[in-house]
Amino acid sequence: MTQTKQVIGRFAPSPSGPLHFGSLVAAIGSYLIAKSTGGKWLVRIEDIDPPREVAGAADVILRQLEAFGFEWDGEVLYQSTRLERYAEVLNDLKQQDLVYACDCTRKQIFAQREDRIYTNVCADKNLAANENSDVAWRMRHGSGKYSFNDHIQGHCQFDQSIYDEDFIIKRKDGLIAYQLAVVVDDIDQGINQVVRGLDILDSTPRQLRLYEALGATPPEYYHLPLALDKNGDKLCKQHGAKAIESENASELLVRALEFLSYPTTPDLKYLSPQDILSNSKLRI
Ligand code: GLU
């Protein structure tokens, strides 16, 4: 008899502000899809970009999740505690010559091409860069053929042009880029199911490139539809999306379920957030 592997999913908010309706959709989607097969659901705070963070937001997010009835498995992982691990992986990639240093300034990149796409001019320069050099580290693109079956979006295949620019895994300002941190953590945490917003779909081929380079198996992907504002723009903290309030937790959970086309009943909103979550089985 073949044993199916236990699902390990996650919700990975960046602490750039409190959760809003769009983040609630990602939270409930990832939670219910993982739980529908008896899987685990981990929470990871992606706090590696201090300039974009808001003091105290990580705690606010965790309190919001609790108030909305979410129960995570294990300890919350903070990416800010993982910098040594990211440096170790970056070093491995350097040893294998899968990354290269790039000292181009924004101005130089802008001058190369008007659309601000970097044209990989440093790929063959072999700039001698050490730990403290003022350079970005870019991942050499691989085969350029990355496709995957998304459980919601279907077969996804990306145009070669997405690889025109070798993507950055460590920024010039010394900060580790999202692409590297997210893949290293997903691998180390044994995440095999990634449910997140459609806005991150474009990053997926880059992440597949990293899985390939690190010799790891990518997770199953589910990219959820995006909640939009009145103007048709993605709800986001930077554009002042309203924080979700715990007084309206049950009502907002039901709205998030409806947004995901989950069949709801008129009385569902009178249940506690915990009961709404445990009564809802989202299968895709
Ligand atoms: N930290 C990212 C965000 O808040 C999500 C990353 C992911 O789910 O891969 O948008």
Side-chain angles (χ1 to χ4, degrees):
M1 201 174 76
T2 50
Q3 230 185 337
T4 22
K5 222 159 106 199
Q6 187 185 33
V7 161
I8 307 183
R10 47 67 159 184
F11 176 55
S14 306
S16 49
L19 298 180
H20 51 76
F21 184 72
S23 12
L24 179 65
V25 168
I28 197 170
S30 59
Y31 186 85
L32 294 181
I33 294 173
K35 294 290 171 187
S36 70
T37 55
K40 289 190 177 175
W41 186 73
L42 314 187
V43 171
R44 183 171 73 225
I45 299 289
E46 304 213 313
D47 55 347
I48 43 155
D49 192 356
R52 289 190 54 225
E53 283 157 25
V54 170
D59 284 342
V60 171
I61 290 173
L62 296 177
R63 299 296 81 79
Q64 286 176 302
L65 288 174
E66 281 169 349
F68 278 71
F70 293 96
E71 284 174 23
W72 52 87
D73 291 286
E75 301 279 311
V76 172
L77 182 72
Y78 290 81
Q79 288 192 322
S80 54
T81 64
R82 304 257 305 152
L83 302 182
E84 270 177 34
R85 174 71 181 130
Y86 306 141
E88 187 181 285
V89 174
L90 177 61
N91 256 333
D92 282 354
L93 295 171
K94 286 181 192 171
Q95 304 291 318
Q96 299 177 64
D97 194 32
L98 291 170
V99 291
Y100 62 88
C102 165
D103 63 355
C104 293
T105 58
R106 270 175 210 272
K107 211 165 146 193
Q108 285 167 324
I109 292 173
F110 188 60
Q112 285 165 29
R113 233 159 88 167
E114 288 211 347
D115 50 12
R116 293 174 194 243
I117 291 179
Y118 170 74
T119 48
N120 307 331
V121 289
C122 294
D124 303 315
K125 281 192 195 160
N126 273 323
L127 292 176
N130 64 37
E131 240 349 87
N132 305 314
S133 311
D134 197 9
V135 293
W137 286 90
R138 292 182 182 265
M139 188 76 200
R140 293 185 194 281
H141 60 256
S143 65
K145 289 194 181 77
Y146 298 101
S147 61
F148 59 98
N149 284 315
D150 187 282
H151 289 263
I152 299 175
Q153 307 300 328
H155 184 71
C156 296
Q157 191 158 4
F158 284 82
D159 188 85
Q160 182 73 22
S161 64
I162 200 156
Y163 307 103
D164 276 357
E165 172 167 349
D166 284 335
F167 63 94
I168 291 180
I169 59 171
K170 186 175 180 190
R171 292 167 18 182
K172 218 172 177 187
D173 59 9
L175 296 177
I176 290 292
Y178 155 72
Q179 309 289 2
L180 182 69
V182 80
V183 170
V184 172
D185 288 347
D186 282 342
I187 294 173
D188 289 355
Q189 292 189 285
I191 303 291
N192 51 21
Q193 181 180 86
V194 166
V195 181
R196 58 189 179 188
L198 195 52
D199 54 325
I200 309 181
L201 186 71
D202 270 9
S203 284
T204 309
R206 300 185 176 94
Q207 294 171 15
L208 291 175
R209 167 69 184 128
L210 279 165
Y211 277 96
E212 176 187 68
L214 299 173
T217 309
E220 297 291 318
Y221 288 107
Y222 296 69
H223 286 90
L224 300 168
L226 282 188
L228 305 176
D229 64 18
K230 286 196 286 296
N231 306 320
D233 294 322
K234 179 198 158 204
L235 284 182
C236 71
K237 298 162 194 169
Q238 288 78 6
H239 296 154
K242 238 173 75 204
I244 46 170
E245 307 273 357
S246 51
E247 300 89 89
N248 308 328
S250 295
E251 199 186 314
L252 286 165
L253 283 170
V254 173
R255 268 184 49 208
L257 285 170
E258 282 167 351
F259 179 79
L260 290 171
S261 307
Y262 179 84
T264 56
T265 51
D267 49 355
L268 195 61
K269 62 172 182 287
Y270 300 113
L271 297 185
S272 68
Q274 288 76 8
D275 285 344
I276 294 176
L277 291 180
S278 57
N279 279 319
S280 307
K281 298 252 175 303
L282 197 66
R283 286 182 193 276
I284 305 243

